[in-house]
Amino acid sequence: MLTGCSIGMDVEALLRPPRPAGEQQKIQQALDEYINSTQQKNAPGAPGGYVLKYPNSGEYRSAFVIKDLDNDGVDEAIVFYRRGIEGSKINLNFLRKLETGWQSVCDIEGASTNIERVQFADLDSDGILEVLTGWNMDNLRDKQLVMYLVSGDRLIERHTDLYTEFIVGKLTNLSNDCVMVLHANSAENITTAKLLTTGIDSITGQTSLVELGSTRLDGYIQQFSTVQIAELGNNLRGVYADGIKDTDSLVTELVYWDGKQLCAPFYNKEKNANTTSYRKALLPSMDLDGDGTIEWPIIRNLTGYSQSDKDKIWFTRWEGFDIATNQTKEKFSCIINMTDNYSLLIDKSWEGQFTLSYDMQSHTLTLYSLVIGSENKPFLMLKAVFGTEPTQTEAGDNVLSAEDGAPELSEFETVGNVRFYAWISPEKPFSLSMERLRYMFSLLQ
């Protein structure tokens, strides 16, 4: 292994995979023919060769993207590649499958040397997919969105935009897809969301993406992590976006089109911030209870426990948004264990009556009854055993033997190579049973 030095070569060239097989091999052969023919025609004396380039994120991670773009029942292909000169921009080669085989019909230069992702959407409801590409820009924090129309045998660039994150989907009551662009300008503390749909550009008179509406978000967001579309009710859909404010805090923004304007109900204009969903932990929003809506966590203090950041365990209250009242609402409380990847629902009647500890080495969570002036007594122990861990402590197929006088733990859940064991006390006020524990316990997705 080479370390500690730079040899001035393209890493992707060094790590280039074997030549593809099957349909991709036929596509690459057509690309080879195109590149060789243009090389001989335009620059016969120049160095030849090319490097396939791979999107960094998103659903499509291959240099070969094969999809039926024009809805004719026959796939087309787009190949991302860079010619042999290091530092040159990536090209998009558009190929069609003819009776004689694959043929390159269009080749255009992309926006930069690094393709971040590619997505497809029918933005104008004509049955033909538009191509949405995201590009990492050299020496810039922003990324660039470029939208291409498929017109016959051509890819035509029709819109560019700076973005921090974007998402595509049905976000209005119209039949076509829309694009929501999120942009964080940390230099000026201005974060915006704008909703784009197809229309006629007022300057060029051509079909392009036009702004349907825009709104401000928390101005101190540095970047976005989780971004997802979810049902809100009343035939509305919205975008939930987790914005990272610094190294250890998040806010969840909700942005939706109400039929007249783009709304961001958690944004406080006077503070230029979102205090509604702020938490000093990198805990993402999610559909934790499986009801089809998104919730976000609020961190709660727990008497006698202060190791959340170290253990990656938090006592949380999860909230949701009620579109009918335009208000947030408390949904449930739970312990989130990000180390072992599960949540544990906490009954309201328990609040103020328990604390916890966590042993990182043994992956054991212990809940204690909290009684002022008395010793805290354990009433629940929950241990995760991973498939790679030694199992000499097992006393039987479903029991972990006691260690140092601790009670025996019984297996109650197995997922993949992880087994979960528990010991419970039936004493009041918690009145636990294995059946109730299974109801309280959920794996994080």
Side-chain angles (χ1 to χ4, degrees):
M1 180 180 291
L2 299 176
T3 59
C5 63
S6 173
I7 56 178
M9 295 180 67
D10 192 314
V11 173
E12 284 182 277
L14 290 172
L15 302 179
R16 188 184 304 171
R19 290 183 69 84
E23 205 68 22
Q24 288 190 3
Q25 183 181 32
K26 297 174 184 177
I27 294 169
Q28 186 161 8
Q29 288 172 350
L31 178 64
D32 289 344
E33 291 175 4
Y34 166 78
I35 290 177
N36 290 333
S37 66
T38 56
Q39 182 80 18
Q40 291 298 319
K41 179 180 179 181
N42 299 327
Y50 64 92
V51 177
L52 296 174
K53 306 295 285 186
Y54 299 81
N56 300 329
S57 63
E59 179 182 352
Y60 302 94
R61 300 291 187 94
S62 173
F64 301 86
V65 180
I66 304 172
K67 198 171 184 68
D68 183 5
L69 300 178
D70 55 9
N71 199 28
D72 65 352
V74 180
D75 284 336
E76 288 75 41
I78 296 174
V79 182
F80 297 99
Y81 74 96
R82 174 181 62 76
R83 290 187 181 267
I85 303 172
E86 188 173 353
S88 58
K89 291 181 179 180
I90 292 174
N91 277 41
L92 291 78
N93 192 273
F94 182 40
L95 302 98
R96 286 193 177 277
K97 191 174 185 179
L98 308 177
E99 290 184 0
T100 55
W102 286 95
Q103 181 178 332
S104 172
V105 295
C106 176
D107 192 90
I108 57 175
E109 186 179 71
S112 79
T113 61
N114 189 297
I115 176 73
E116 196 254 337
R117 67 172 132 152
V118 58
Q119 288 184 243
F120 303 94
D122 186 0
L123 299 172
D124 52 7
S125 298
D126 66 350
I128 299 176
L129 298 177
E130 281 69 52
V131 182
L132 295 150
T133 56
W135 303 85
N136 292 308
M137 308 303 291
D138 293 340
N139 303 317
L140 288 178
R141 187 184 184 94
D142 294 326
K143 292 173 276 191
Q144 186 169 350
L145 167 66
V146 181
M147 186 266 279
Y148 300 97
L149 296 179
V150 178
S151 178
D153 288 341
R154 295 188 300 161
L155 291 178
I156 304 174
E157 180 183 315
R158 279 293 167 83
H159 182 83
T160 63
D161 222 323
L162 293 178
Y163 75 93
T164 307
E165 188 58 71
F166 74 88
I167 191 166
V168 180
K170 288 180 170 49
L171 295 169
T172 69
N173 57 5
L174 303 175
S175 61
N176 61 292
D177 294 323
C178 295
V179 183
M180 184 170 290
V181 176
L182 307 174
H183 183 244
N185 181 344
S186 56
E188 300 181 15
N189 294 332
I190 297 175
T191 306
T192 56
K194 58 183 177 182
L195 189 61
L196 305 177
T197 188
T198 50
I200 303 301
D201 188 281
S202 59
I203 298 176
T204 66
Q206 297 177 325
T207 300
S208 183
L209 288 178
V210 296
E211 185 177 304
L212 190 61
S214 65
T215 187
R216 292 278 294 273
L217 305 176
D218 190 310
Y220 303 97
I221 291 173
Q222 303 293 313
Q223 57 183 306
F224 291 93
S225 52
T226 307
V227 179
Q228 54 197 319
I229 297 173
E231 300 289 342
L232 302 179
N234 292 347
N235 295 318
L236 297 176
R237 305 181 86 203
V239 171
Y240 283 93
D242 289 340
I244 301 173
K245 299 190 68 168
D246 50 47
T247 57
D248 63 351
S249 64
L250 276 180
V251 293
T252 296
E253 293 284 12
L254 169 60
V255 188
Y256 67 94
W257 178 254
D258 70 355
K260 297 180 180 179
Q261 60 183 346
L262 199 61
C263 305
F266 304 160
Y267 175 67
N268 185 314
K269 182 178 180 180
E270 285 70 30
K271 296 181 178 180
N272 188 30
N274 170 356
T275 57
T276 299
S277 62
Y278 175 83
R279 61 268 194 191
K280 196 170 180 59
L282 297 180
L283 282 176
S285 59
M286 64 184 83
D287 179 12
L288 190 58
D289 59 359
D291 67 349
T293 63
I294 300 298
E295 297 89 28
W296 61 91
I298 302 298
I299 306 301
R300 307 187 65 181
N301 293 325
L302 194 59
T303 302
Y305 179 69
S306 59
Q307 300 294 315
S308 286
D309 293 339
K310 175 186 174 184
D311 296 338
K312 302 302 178 188
I313 295 175
W314 293 268
F315 180 40
T316 57
R317 179 182 74 244
W318 288 73
E319 298 186 345
F321 183 71
D322 186 345
I323 192 71
T325 62
N326 204 41
Q327 299 289 326
T328 62
K329 60 179 181 180
E330 181 178 343
K331 298 190 72 173
F332 53 87
S333 294
C334 68
I335 294 168
I336 294 289
N337 184 338
M338 296 295 284
T339 299
D340 299 326
N341 203 43
Y342 65 80
S343 68
L344 194 66
L345 194 65
I346 298 299
D347 193 277
K348 267 186 171 295
S349 65
W350 291 18
E351 296 184 16
Q353 299 191 59
F354 79 98
T355 187
L356 67 84
S357 68
Y358 182 71
D359 185 284
M360 182 77 73
Q361 185 173 358
S362 65
H363 294 271
T364 302
L365 174 73
T366 304
L367 270 57
Y368 302 86
S369 60
L370 189 63
V371 181
I372 303 301
S374 301
E375 181 182 357
N376 296 336
K377 293 183 178 181
F379 66 90
L380 170 63
M381 296 177 68
L382 183 55
K383 177 182 176 68
V385 177
F386 294 84
T388 55
E389 294 183 16
T391 58
Q392 292 89 339
T393 58
E394 292 188 29
D397 290 340
N398 300 307
V399 176
L400 283 180
S401 62
E403 297 179 11
D404 299 327
E408 288 186 341
L409 281 72
S410 300
E411 184 176 354
F412 75 96
E413 189 77 44
T414 300
V415 181
N417 68 338
V418 186
R419 291 163 294 161
F420 294 93
Y421 293 82
W423 168 85
I424 57 175
S425 167
E427 295 181 8
K428 295 182 179 181
F430 306 105
S431 302
L432 275 173
S433 65
M434 280 296 182
E435 182 179 359
R436 179 162 174 75
L437 180 59
R438 290 188 181 95
Y439 169 78
M440 296 165 58
F441 178 90
S442 295
L443 282 176
L444 300 177
Q445 300 299 317

